Amino acid sequence: MKIKSSGRRKFLKNSAAIIGAAAAGIRPAGAENPPPEMDMPDLEALISYGQRSSFVKSHRVSVMERMSPDEFGMTFHVLSPIQDSVGIITPSSLHYISTHRGSYVPNIDPQEHRLMIHGMVDRPLIFSVDEIKRFPFVTRPLFLECLGNRAKASHKTVQETHGLTSCSEWTGVPLSILLNEAGVQSGAAFIVAEGAESVKGATSIPIGKAMDDCLVAYGQNGEALRPQQGFPIRLLVPGFEGMHNVKYLRRIKLVEKDYMTYNDYGHIVPDARVAALTRQIGPKSVITFPSGEQKLPGPGLYEITGLAWSGSAAIRNVEISTDGGQSWKLAELRTPSYSMAHTRFAFPWTWDGKECVIMSRCTDELGTRQPTRAESAKFFGKPDNADFRAPGADNTVFPWRIAADGSVQNGMA
Ligand SMILES: Nc1nc2c(c(=O)[nH]1)N[C@H]1C(S)=C(S)[C@@H](COP(=O)(O)O)O[C@H]1N2
Ligand SMILES: [Mo]
């Protein structure tokens, strides 16, 4: 996280150029020139649960191809505005949302909600939410990413290309504690986890993963889960594709083999190479600034910044190319690199005002590097053309094209 001194000197020189020109005409806001009072239509509400500035407009949008709400009033895929993100935590109110077709957001009374653990266990158990909260908890940042987080040439903004991922600080009880209470029988190879709403959001997870680092979470970013994130409890399966993170968790059955649930269908495929990439999200990164539909006002110093994550480990490093992938330079990690969480990177860069293509690629602590589309196509034995669609979760390197006028466009287009 240390800014290297050469970069620092450059920064000081450039910042003088950026700030110096403007300072002459500006007075600090003082007693003789105070800003207007915040508009407070409901003072009670503002006191009890805060609200953001009316000047901050960052908001979620629904996926173009699957409008929400649909004709039945259901939400499907809603994209997080990662072009506006700072740091690594997604505000809960801006977390992406992905629900299975026909699913809805249930309004669950936590006092009524129960979690049942049964199947191949010594003692089938039923827990209330309050009982779950009596077990030892852990708090850790973890990313979620939907399998549908796939950049297309038609996408314009980074919200459209990469907005189906978010990172929260989750609090919950390790699933292994609850499974040990029930007593896992030998031969139990998978769990089938199920949600409480109509489509149930069921999915199969290998027992090794269930006993390793899964959480039954009730906290998100310092408060209770949001209904759209699974209130009152959800399963967190660190690094695994979003679908496995069952919301409104109400039942876990221990079974002898991988059950193909309604939701697993189409996600888990027989090709082991693809299955590996959906169970565990590969190392992936994207530049959030400058990104699609933003505009650089002119040549000069900028911070290229973005997010990197991996479903297997922490991020070891991020490299930036500003020449379309011909050469790569190390970016700086500006946050601690937590395992299976978003990591914020930045790269101080002086733009010369010429058209260029910028991209990022990351490497995780296992040494796995994010592939380019060409590398992914080669791996799957497919030609590298516009038709190539990386199977499983697409973690390929993504380009932004900066035009001479400073406008930024999807580099796939
Ligand atoms: N019960 C239930 N759990 C669910 C889903 C659902 O529709 N119902 N959607 C899954 C999918 S496809 C994803 S990507 C993640 C999304 O979690 P989020 O909506 O909190 O971002 O939840 C998963 N868990
Ligand atoms: Mo998803």
Side-chain angles (χ1 to χ4, degrees):
M1 279 207 286
K2 218 171 68 199
I3 299 178
K4 283 191 212 78
S5 63
S6 65
R8 169 146 230 122
R9 267 200 306 278
K10 211 191 316 167
F11 174 74
L12 292 173
K13 202 174 106 227
N14 280 287
S15 71
I18 296 166
I19 299 161
I26 291 181
R27 286 186 303 157
E32 75 287 4
N33 187 21
E37 212 172 303
M38 192 173 162
D39 187 22
M40 293 185 285
D42 183 351
L43 194 51
E44 283 292 313
L46 193 61
I47 289 170
S48 63
Y49 198 85
Q51 128 194 345
R52 65 183 177 174
S53 162
S54 62
F55 293 98
V56 178
K57 306 285 189 201
S58 189
H59 62 279
R60 297 188 286 214
V61 294
S62 61
V63 169
M64 254 190 300
E65 299 85 348
R66 300 175 85 182
M67 272 316 270
S68 301
D70 70 355
E71 63 267 47
F72 306 110
M74 311 256 190
T75 51
F76 289 140
H77 285 33
V78 177
L79 302 154
S80 184
I82 57 174
Q83 68 279 14
D84 304 322
S85 67
V86 293
I88 58 169
I89 298 297
T90 312
S92 305
S93 49
L94 295 176
H95 197 284
Y96 89 88
I97 308 164
S98 174
T99 56
H100 300 299
R101 185 166 282 274
S103 184
Y104 56 93
V105 178
N107 187 25
I108 298 177
D109 178 347
Q111 293 303 320
E112 301 296 321
H113 190 77
R114 297 288 181 272
L115 169 62
M116 176 163 81
I117 298 181
H118 69 135
M120 297 173 72
V121 294
D122 297 333
R123 293 169 297 279
L125 293 173
I126 292 177
F127 298 99
S128 70
V129 176
D130 283 342
E131 282 163 356
I132 288 170
K133 288 182 178 172
R134 287 166 62 179
F135 288 98
F137 63 85
V138 296
T139 295
R140 59 181 293 198
L142 291 169
F143 80 84
L144 287 180
E145 182 177 18
C146 181
L147 195 70
N149 207 26
R150 172 181 296 278
K152 291 186 188 155
S154 59
H155 293 153
K156 298 214 164 11
T157 65
V158 72
Q159 185 164 15
E160 289 167 1
T161 59
H162 290 75
L164 287 177
T165 182
S166 294
C167 181
S168 287
E169 185 203 73
W170 301 99
T171 295
V173 175
L175 177 60
S176 60
I177 292 180
L178 303 180
L179 293 181
N180 282 333
E181 287 291 308
V184 179
Q185 291 180 348
S186 69
F190 278 82
I191 65 166
V192 179
E194 179 188 85
E197 90 281 36
S198 57
V199 301
K200 300 193 175 85
T203 179
S204 301
I205 297 152
I207 191 77
K209 182 67 177 175
M211 292 297 285
D212 180 17
D213 58 358
C214 291
L215 296 181
V216 175
Y218 49 83
Q220 180 186 9
N221 297 333
E223 60 182 353
L225 298 188
R226 293 275 162 139
Q228 288 163 316
Q229 264 66 61
F231 182 84
I233 50 171
R234 88 176 298 167
L235 192 61
L236 279 170
V237 188
F240 273 37
E241 184 243 306
M243 188 247 329
H244 295 290
N245 298 264
V246 176
K247 303 190 266 193
Y248 325 114
L249 182 68
R250 72 155 185 189
R251 190 158 78 100
I252 289 175
K253 185 172 185 182
L254 286 90
V255 295
E256 75 289 1
K257 62 173 190 213
D258 193 347
Y259 279 24
M260 183 62 81
T261 70
Y262 167 75
N263 300 307
D264 290 327
Y265 182 75
H267 284 246
I268 302 298
V269 291
D271 184 334
R273 297 171 304 180
V274 181
L277 285 171
T278 60
R279 287 243 163 81
Q280 262 175 311
I281 300 269
K284 185 167 177 177
S285 68
V286 68
I287 292 170
T288 55
F289 178 86
S291 65
E293 292 196 333
Q294 293 173 339
K295 194 165 181 187
L296 301 181
L301 177 79
Y302 295 94
E303 284 243 295
I304 295 177
T305 184
L307 295 166
W309 60 97
S310 163
S312 331
I315 293 299
R316 179 185 291 167
N317 65 49
V318 179
E319 296 162 285
I320 301 290
S321 175
T322 57
D323 56 12
Q326 290 170 48
S327 67
W328 296 88
K329 291 197 186 90
L330 273 187
E332 295 161 4
L333 303 185
R334 293 286 175 80
T335 56
S337 183
Y338 298 104
S339 185
M340 295 174 270
H342 284 173
T343 299
R344 170 69 56 179
F345 64 84
F347 181 78
W349 174 57
T350 303
W351 181 47
D352 59 10
K354 296 200 185 90
E355 175 169 327
C356 61
V357 171
I358 60 171
M359 46 180 100
S360 64
R361 72 177 182 198
C362 65
T363 301
D364 68 21
E365 284 293 357
L366 296 182
T368 312
R369 197 176 72 196
Q370 180 182 5
T372 60
R373 274 173 61 83
E375 285 164 346
S376 180
K378 192 170 169 217
F379 179 74
F380 288 106
K382 299 269 164 53
D384 172 29
N385 55 32
D387 291 337
F388 172 66
R389 195 177 177 277
D394 181 354
N395 69 325
T396 54
V397 168
F398 179 81
W400 294 114
R401 175 171 289 105
I402 303 178
D405 69 355
S407 61
V408 187
Q409 280 157 19
N410 184 336
M412 288 172 85

